[in-house]
């Protein structure tokens, strides 16, 4: 009996944390979906953003859980420094992936252009004009006037100037200027 009383505070705190995580995931999911619907953003992109936010919530909950159960600070720092070293070495080689994911999330919320828009990428060496066919977590797919499929990493949309030339009308495939 004494064992259960000793850990009662941690057990109650853990239960509350689980409820907060479940509720926050549902609330965030509904808010992002409402935002996406109002902004006419496709479901695939919405689900990606919800997935990334849920990963962040899980990481924060894990850190909180470690603190609730009183893991020694020294042990936490040793573990985190080891994990950070491994991740740092791996991410140094793959930094552009993280950059593209972050850019994809920013593009989701700022939405300067949408699927179906015809855009011009102001690149000094390789200017490109095309219709946006897809906006994914890592890249944007363009279809040029000649039918060529061009894939641009998301992070380049923050490094190059972009002009939206034509936007599709709401009810047809016709474009407006």
């Amino acid at each position: 009996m004494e064992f259960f009383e000793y850990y009662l505070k941690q057990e109650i705190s853990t239960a509350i944390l689980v409820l907060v995580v479940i509720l926050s995931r549902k609330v965030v999911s509904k808010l992002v979906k409402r935002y996406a619907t109002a902004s006419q953003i496709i479901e695939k992109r919405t689900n990606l953003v919800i997935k990334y936010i849920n990963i962040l919530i899980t990481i924060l909950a894990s850190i909180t859980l470690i603190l609730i159960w009183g893991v020694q600070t020294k042990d936490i720092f040793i573990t985190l420094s080891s994990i950070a070293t491994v991740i740092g070495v791996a991410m140094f080689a793959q930094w552009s992936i993280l950059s593209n994911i972050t850019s994809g999330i920013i593009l989701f919320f700022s939405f300067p252009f949408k699927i179906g828009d015809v855009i011009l990428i102001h690149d000094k060496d390789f200017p490109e004009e095309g219709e946006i066919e897809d906006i994914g977590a890592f890249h944007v797919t363009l279809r040029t006037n000649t039918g060529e499929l061009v894939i641009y990493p998301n992070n380049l949309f923050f490094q190059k100037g972009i002009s939206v030339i034509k936007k599709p009308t709401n009810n047809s495939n016709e474009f407006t200027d």
Side-chain angles (χ1 to χ4, degrees):
M1 188 69 170
E2 203 172 294
F3 178 77
F4 292 110
E5 290 175 5
Y6 183 74
Y7 289 111
L8 184 61
K9 181 180 173 185
Q10 287 89 348
E11 291 169 351
I12 292 172
S13 298
T14 301
I16 291 172
L17 177 65
V18 168
L19 288 174
V20 167
V21 167
I22 291 169
L23 288 174
S24 62
R25 282 181 167 201
K26 287 185 179 194
V27 168
V28 166
S29 177
K30 284 184 181 181
L31 289 173
V32 170
K33 285 181 181 181
R34 186 179 301 153
Y35 178 81
T37 302
S39 304
Q40 298 177 346
I41 297 173
I42 62 171
E43 185 178 352
K44 180 178 155 186
R45 289 188 61 208
T46 304
N47 291 336
L48 278 173
V49 169
I50 290 170
K51 178 181 170 183
Y52 297 147
I53 293 173
N54 283 341
I55 289 171
L56 178 64
I57 290 171
T58 301
I59 290 170
L60 293 175
S62 299
I63 292 169
T64 305
L65 194 61
I66 288 170
L67 295 173
I68 287 173
W69 284 92
V71 176
Q72 295 294 322
T73 308
K74 175 180 72 170
D75 296 336
I76 293 172
F77 286 130
I78 290 171
T79 304
L80 288 179
S81 64
S82 299
I83 292 171
T85 302
V86 170
I87 291 174
V89 170
M91 290 308 274
F92 181 73
Q94 298 298 325
W95 186 253
S96 64
I97 291 175
L98 183 62
S99 173
N100 283 321
I101 291 173
T102 305
S103 298
I105 292 172
I106 293 170
L107 286 174
F108 177 83
F109 285 108
S110 67
F111 64 101
F113 42 78
K114 297 188 285 191
I115 292 175
D117 290 353
V118 176
I119 63 169
L120 172 65
I121 300 172
H122 302 283
D123 189 341
K124 184 173 113 178
D125 298 324
F126 302 103
E128 200 67 62
E129 181 179 332
E131 179 182 345
I132 298 174
E133 283 195 352
D134 188 27
I135 303 173
F138 299 104
H139 53 76
V140 174
T141 306
L142 299 175
R143 177 76 61 184
T144 65
N145 294 337
T146 60
E148 181 181 17
L149 199 61
V150 180
I151 310 295
Y152 258 88
N154 285 339
N155 62 359
L156 288 181
F157 283 91
F158 292 98
Q159 298 172 11
K160 308 288 182 194
I162 308 290
S163 295
V164 178
I165 297 173
K166 296 179 183 177
K167 290 188 169 288
T169 58
N170 291 337
N171 297 330
S172 69
N173 289 336
E174 297 175 18
F175 285 95
T176 59
D177 290 327

